Amino acid sequence: MLDTPHPTPAGVTLDERKLAAALSGLHFIGGRYVPALSGKTFEVVNPATGEPVAKAAEGDAADVDAAVRDAARAQKEWAKMPARKRGALVHQCAALLKEHQEELARLIALETGKALRTESRVEAGVVADIFEFYGGLGSELKGESVPFAPNVLSVTVREPLGVVGAIIPWNVPMLLMALKVAPALVAGNTVVVKSAEEAPLAVLRICELMNRVLPPGCFNMLSGFGPECGAPLVAHPLVRKVTFTGSVETGKIVAKAAAEKLVPVTLELGGKSPMIVFADCDFAKTVQGALTSMRFTRQGQSCTAASRIYVERPIFDRFVAEMKKAVDAMVMGDPLDEKTDIGTIISPGQFEKVQAYIEEGKRTPGAVAHECSALPKDPALKKGLFLRPVIFTGLTKESRLVREEIFGPVTVIQPFDDAESVLAEANDSDYGLAASLWTNNLKVALDLAHRLEAGLVQVNQNLVVQANLSYGGVKSSGLGKEASLEAMLEHFTHKKTIMVNMG
Ligand code: NAI
Ligand code: MG
């Protein structure tokens, strides 16, 4: 119900630079755009060119306090609204986001360097889908009746938790935000999001768009750095639930801070997801599957990326050769160009981190680095963070490249000889987010699907997160689930028992 004048264009805006500039220096709190209380800002850079495209408001504890207080005020009324009505409003937001899909896609491509055709447009579409899905679930916030005694009515009801503090990363910021905001709102909570410092713009625009439909204060957006803005959000006494997606390291800090206040926390952390390819697979489909599984189009910046590929020995050489050919055929270039398959790494820091892994791999005795695709030739992109995807062979399980999350366009392919040994290797990891199996042997597939230590196992496909399917890891990959009805019930409500003695 945005009634105050605001600096951003009202309609769909396909000029992403103009929109980025208009979003500069602002938070969205209590139904309106406001600058950071300190007046401070930091630069948002287009990683394809190195040019600044906007300045983001640099939030700190004072901005967090203002946003959380507004959210707490709004929550009282929001929770009183019939759940189905809340859902209907969230559904209306989904329709608005669909109208703005292309705009959001262009904006996210500008700030993250993710290719428009293969990634950014897809993400913007999934975001609308997530809000649409949860918008239909208002009346599923059901409790139970519990048999207790003939003269006692005993029921449970689902109640919201209050203000939710959500901290998101930069790799798929709109989607990962939607997985938190949509169920939180429908369940009757209000939300304060702290965006990732590398990608604050598209999520801010989404917040504004949704505030045209939602009552003020229900959905608020802050930008800023982790320790200065994220930490005070987690620690704020009025934040009654914390949900975080990002690194394991930061996840542990967040979990400790949430433990200090004893509030529930959901963590969606990293992965080192295995892809296991048996010789009896549908070969061509599996090579294509490996390309999508590895998220090469997202420069491998995905927690679910199949960064360890195990291939049964008889087809190993052929598989590596075909993979190399397929990745070579992918076009790296301007993220906003329709022809581009692969865009850029998000930031200089990540670029260096990934490069260091690649150098380490190349130095490892016995390793072969198959460098794929080609850097763009356009001089306008010469400062862009483009990195050729690398397929490594000849590395063993001791290598850091096989054990650690690289979060870049790097995958390691290793041969295997039997199902038991590959299962042991796949499970020999600190992570347990996702896994995929490629075989036409149903017995082997089902057996391994049950024994793989992962939150999500797919056979002969490797799709991205789906709104209605529970998603989340085991081991160091996280705590709790996202997406699905259960995630809303379990992580954004508490169950109250009410007993009425009618005797
Ligand atoms: P990060 O975990 O440090 O950042 C994620 C979010 O947490 C950002 O919004 C950041 O501002 C915030 N944050 C940082 N410190 C905080 C603190 N003390 N309290 C509260 N919030 C805080 O991840 P970063 O530094 O962007 O990337 C490092 C590595 O993390 C990547 O190379 C990748 O391996 C992994 N990662 C995994 C992701 C996933 O989807 N699971 C997403 C992003 C990164
Ligand atoms: Mg960090």
Side-chain angles (χ1 to χ4, degrees), residues 219 283 418:
F219 179 13
F283 191 84
D418 65 90

Side-chain angles (χ1 to χ4, degrees), residues 168-170 194 197 226 244 246-247 250 269 303 350 353 405 407:
I168 55 170
W170 43 262
K194 204 290 281 173
E197 38 276 61
F244 171 85
S247 64
T250 307
L269 308 176
C303 45
Q350 284 295 124
K353 179 186 155 184
E405 181 173 61
F407 229 63

Side-chain angles (χ1 to χ4, degrees), residues 165-184:
I167 295 176
I168 55 170
W170 43 262
N171 57 331
V172 253
M174 303 191 293
L175 187 159
L176 297 172
M177 180 191 75
L179 288 176
K180 300 177 187 318
V181 172

Side-chain angles (χ1 to χ4, degrees), residues 50-75:
E51 58 166 341
V53 290
K55 288 186 186 305
E58 188 178 326
D60 61 22
D63 303 285
V64 167
D65 188 55
V68 172
R69 285 180 189 287
D70 257 330
R73 263 194 299 276
Q75 201 264 331

Side-chain angles (χ1 to χ4, degrees), residues 270-448:
K272 193 74 189 176
S273 301
M275 166 170 182
I276 301 175
V277 179
F278 286 89
D280 73 343
C281 68
D282 177 333
F283 191 84
K285 181 179 164 189
T286 307
V287 170
Q288 278 312 308
L291 293 187
T292 45
S293 299
M294 195 29 230
R295 312 279 187 263
F296 276 121
T297 51
R298 201 188 298 156
Q299 299 73 254
Q301 300 171 138
S302 157
C303 45
T304 342
S307 46
R308 298 184 281 155
I309 305 185
Y310 298 94
V311 181
E312 204 170 1
R313 201 172 300 271
I315 60 164
F316 180 80
D317 291 338
R318 194 171 139 228
F319 187 86
V320 173
E322 287 300 313
M323 270 288 284
K324 162 111 179 70
K325 213 161 54 176
V327 185
D328 276 340
M330 295 171 87
V331 177
M332 208 186 302
D334 180 355
L336 286 154
D337 186 334
E338 294 286 343
K339 290 194 287 299
T340 298
D341 298 305
I342 304 179
T344 72
I345 304 292
I346 184 79
S347 65
Q350 284 295 124
F351 191 83
E352 276 165 32
K353 179 186 155 184
V354 177
Q355 252 185 341
Y357 276 109
I358 295 173
E359 291 312 315
E360 184 172 322
K362 284 181 179 169
R363 283 196 308 271
T364 309
V368 182
H370 307 264
E371 285 178 292
C372 306
S373 187
L375 296 176
K377 295 200 176 59
D378 183 350
L381 304 175
K382 69 176 188 300
K383 288 195 183 144
L385 302 173
F386 294 95
L387 190 56
R388 292 180 69 194
V390 188
I391 296 169
F392 275 102
T393 53
L395 287 171
T396 58
K397 64 178 184 213
E398 288 73 37
S399 167
R400 286 202 318 140
L401 281 78
V402 176
R403 309 202 72 82
E404 297 176 11
E405 181 173 61
I406 300 174
F407 229 63
V410 181
T411 195
V412 179
I413 312 189
Q414 297 163 271
F416 74 88
D417 293 303
D418 65 90
E420 285 310 314
S421 63
V422 77
L423 177 73
E425 279 208 39
N427 283 343
D428 180 14
S429 171
D430 292 339
Y431 293 106
L433 190 55
S436 70
L437 293 161
W438 301 76
T439 174
N440 280 313
N441 185 329
L442 185 61
K443 195 160 169 258
V444 169
L446 277 176
D447 178 35
L448 295 194

